[in-house]
Amino acid sequence: MVKAVVGEETRLKFAEDRLSQSGLTSQVGLVIGKFSSALDRGFVFDLVPTPPNDASEPACSLIGTTKEDNRKGAKSKSQSVDSSSLVVDKDWVAEHARQVSRMLVGGMKVIGIYVWISDTAFKNSTIMLCQTVKGVAEAAPISETDWDERLLIQICYSPRRWTCRNCSLSSNITSSSLRPCDFKMGRVLASVRTFKCMHNFNLRLPIHHESANQKFVDILRHGISVHWKDLKGANAMIDGNLVINDEPCSTDGLHEVELLLPFMKNTFVEACSQKDVVGVLVFSGSVCSFACLNAKEPVSQAVADIKDDIIRSLQSRLGIICDEAEGDQPPADDASRESIKEQSPGKPVSQLSLISLRKTCSLPFPRRVFVPWLENTFICDYLQPSETLEVLKDRCLELMSMEAPNDASTILEPEGAALSLRAKSFWDVAIPFASSLDLSVQKDNVNATATFSESSAKAEKSTNINVIAAVFFLFLSLLVGFLLLRRS
């Protein structure tokens, strides 16, 4: 359990001034920061208010009065507020956390919530707040082996003070789920180190006969999980030096990270040797990743954050596609739209199964762009091929409560060049990844298994002919040599 939390003084004071000038009696929002297991500390970078919901209603409000108020009649506003309890739109705050977590790079997480509320109202609302924290944790998990705690920061306006508590997620939500922890303000962002990695990948996933009815989204999700296992075993080089000693990073500036994946077997060749394989899925491209590290943390933590960020980025893009599919949004281009309409009217390509496709169609993936945030850190967003930077500015304002820079040159688009590869298989499935990430699928009306058998038969026949020819020439050479020996 984290026993001490340090918050960025400039950002927390800014949030306090904003809240005190707003005239609000309550507000709820997200705590952006990180937990460090090596230092047994939590770091708070910023507080992000949850915007109003789709009905333009605030994410939280104060309601109710005590029995004493009902007997004695109306009281002053401050007394009435103090006797109220907080009602939170838990689902909306969780959805905000889910979308914000997509915008955070390696080493940055949604580590809890904050509330602007009086002490009495806080005490009357502990169960509601703990349930909200738990919903946020489920919507925005920190890692694969998730932390069993989150932070609940209270900013009390009368008297003005900050209080930080740990909220345990491992047990049923009760009043004992909250435990106080040491909290102070300092210069957190000044000691942050930034790391960058351009990761190229090329996954070839055999499609087995029993999985041919699976949807694209399910097969890609499985492919990402397979790649996550590969990344875990990868060594890393930082600024050209192999990471061996688990020491802190002592230098400022941007540090370049290169991941060294272990030698991988040729899964395409392996697939061709399996009788139940009817195709190969090729998923390839480049992912740009950033991570931030506290100066006292070991560099191995930056490598772990980079690996985690790469996988989360792939998962986020796939999640965006699924979100759009649920919203019945059409594909990006007319050709794809007509192809899908013929194969499965009204159904998005991400929800189609491989075996149902007969013509080429495309599934564009969003590209990742980076926006300068605090100090030398970045946040990111994902843009569809048809979207412009204006959409990015709107989302930054709505989700992160920040103004995106007007100077487009400060917005980084490192994934601008796409990699394009095609699988030499019976279903040609290729995903060029980055700015124009397409999923191309081709499949004849002939049964794929029959095609596989036919191709195998041709290959076997060709191999037999080569063997017979080799034996024939060997025999001929021996015969000529024997005759020459007899003559001599």
Side-chain angles (χ1 to χ4, degrees):
M1 174 178 286
V2 172
K3 298 179 180 179
V5 176
V6 183
E8 172 58 38
E9 184 175 13
T10 57
R11 299 305 305 170
L12 299 191
K13 289 296 184 182
F14 174 79
E16 183 179 324
D17 294 340
R18 170 179 57 80
L19 288 168
S20 62
Q21 297 171 10
S22 66
L24 297 173
T25 56
S26 65
Q27 188 182 83
V28 65
L30 308 178
V31 178
I32 310 299
K34 72 177 303 182
F35 290 127
S36 174
S37 57
L39 303 178
D40 197 23
R41 283 189 175 186
F43 298 96
V44 176
F45 298 153
D46 201 7
L47 306 181
V48 178
T50 297
N53 60 22
D54 293 336
S56 299
E57 298 173 346
C60 69
S61 59
L62 290 169
I63 63 169
T65 57
T66 64
K67 294 180 179 179
E68 184 179 359
D69 290 335
N70 294 330
R71 290 196 304 267
K72 293 185 177 181
K75 294 186 177 182
S76 65
K77 179 181 178 182
S78 61
Q79 290 175 316
S80 176
V81 168
D82 285 345
S83 63
S84 300
S85 61
L86 188 69
V87 174
V88 183
D89 188 343
K90 300 187 294 293
D91 294 338
W92 185 248
V93 177
E95 175 62 21
H96 182 218
R98 186 180 73 91
Q99 296 194 37
V100 166
S101 65
R102 288 178 177 175
M103 304 182 71
L104 302 178
V105 299
M108 295 182 186
K109 309 294 180 184
V110 178
I111 61 173
I113 68 170
Y114 77 89
V115 285
W116 166 256
I117 195 174
S118 67
D119 278 339
T120 304
F122 183 89
K123 293 176 182 178
N124 294 337
S125 314
T126 53
I127 300 299
M128 172 68 70
L129 291 172
C130 288
Q131 291 173 345
T132 305
V133 171
K134 187 173 183 178
V136 165
E138 293 173 350
I142 288 181
S143 63
E144 190 175 276
T145 56
D146 199 14
W147 286 73
D148 62 351
E149 62 182 288
R150 292 295 188 275
L151 299 183
L152 174 56
I153 295 179
Q154 179 204 0
I155 313 170
C156 180
Y157 44 74
S158 180
R160 185 73 55 82
R161 65 170 174 267
W162 292 67
T163 306
C164 183
R165 298 172 176 85
N166 277 317
C167 182
S168 175
L169 307 174
S170 58
S171 59
N172 295 329
I173 298 298
T174 62
S175 57
S176 61
S177 300
L178 292 179
R179 296 183 180 179
C181 62
D182 294 334
F183 180 77
K184 64 179 182 179
M185 299 186 188
R187 299 299 303 276
V188 174
L189 294 172
S191 60
V192 166
R193 307 288 187 256
T194 307
F195 298 80
K196 178 185 177 183
C197 176
M198 284 297 299
H199 174 62
N200 302 319
F201 67 96
N202 184 9
L203 305 180
R204 298 192 173 203
L205 308 170
I207 307 302
H208 297 270
H209 181 73
E210 61 270 15
S211 62
N213 284 316
Q214 283 188 324
K215 298 176 182 178
F216 281 131
V217 62
D218 297 327
I219 295 175
L220 290 179
R221 188 176 288 116
H222 170 69
I224 293 172
S225 66
V226 169
H227 192 50
W228 174 228
K229 296 178 181 178
D230 297 337
L231 280 180
K232 284 182 177 179
N235 293 322
M237 297 179 66
I238 297 180
D239 298 331
N241 300 314
L242 186 65
V243 177
I244 300 177
N245 299 323
D246 212 7
E247 298 177 352
C249 180
S250 58
T251 57
D252 295 329
L254 182 64
H255 301 278
E256 296 287 342
V257 178
E258 181 181 357
L259 297 180
L260 307 175
L261 289 172
F263 180 77
M264 305 303 296
K265 295 180 180 179
N266 193 327
T267 54
F268 179 75
V269 174
E270 289 184 356
C272 293
S273 65
Q274 300 178 25
K275 294 181 180 180
D276 63 338
V277 170
V278 293
V280 174
L281 178 73
V282 177
F283 188 26
S284 61
S286 296
V287 175
C288 181
S289 172
F290 280 89
C292 62
L293 183 77
N294 185 273
K296 295 182 180 180
E297 289 184 285
V299 291
S300 61
Q301 185 60 51
V303 176
D305 290 339
I306 285 284
K307 294 177 180 179
D308 180 67
D309 181 62
I310 290 171
I311 296 301
R312 290 168 67 92
S313 176
L314 295 175
Q315 292 172 337
S316 294
R317 301 180 212 222
L318 192 56
I320 291 171
I321 291 175
C322 293
D323 290 346
E324 293 202 348
E326 292 176 0
D328 295 328
Q329 296 196 18
D333 53 83
D334 294 335
S336 297
R337 189 179 297 113
E338 292 300 322
S339 173
I340 295 170
K341 187 182 296 183
E342 293 176 7
Q343 297 172 66
S344 183
K347 199 170 186 179
V349 64
S350 62
Q351 299 302 313
L352 294 178
S353 61
L354 288 176
I355 205 169
S356 67
L357 295 176
R358 295 296 183 271
K359 293 185 178 181
T360 301
C361 59
S362 64
L363 177 61
F365 267 51
R367 69 187 189 278
R368 194 180 198 185
V369 296
F370 297 90
V371 181
W373 192 40
L374 307 175
E375 295 286 343
N376 296 320
T377 63
F378 294 88
I379 59 172
C380 72
D381 198 8
Y382 300 93
L383 299 183
Q384 297 284 18
S386 60
E387 292 180 329
T388 64
L389 293 180
E390 292 301 322
V391 176
L392 170 65
K393 295 178 180 180
D394 293 340
R395 282 202 283 260
C396 284
L397 183 61
E398 179 183 9
L399 297 177
M400 297 294 294
S401 191
M402 61 169 282
E403 294 284 349
N406 293 322
D407 186 3
S409 62
T410 61
I411 299 176
L412 306 182
E413 300 184 68
E415 296 179 356
L419 298 179
S420 178
L421 293 175
R422 295 182 63 83
K424 296 178 181 178
S425 61
F426 320 112
W427 300 338
D428 287 338
V429 185
I431 306 180
F433 194 88
S435 60
S436 58
L437 203 161
D438 294 329
L439 174 65
S440 301
V441 182
Q442 293 180 346
K443 182 175 180 293
D444 297 331
N445 291 327
V446 183
N447 183 274
T449 306
T451 307
F452 179 85
S453 301
E454 182 182 351
S455 300
S456 300
K458 289 181 180 179
E460 184 177 357
K461 183 177 179 180
S462 176
T463 302
N464 292 337
I465 293 175
N466 291 336
V467 172
I468 293 172
V471 172
F472 174 76
F473 281 114
L474 178 61
F475 176 76
L476 183 61
S477 300
L478 291 175
L479 180 61
V480 172
F482 177 75
L483 293 175
L484 291 176
L485 184 62
R486 288 285 303 269
R487 288 183 180 182
S488 61

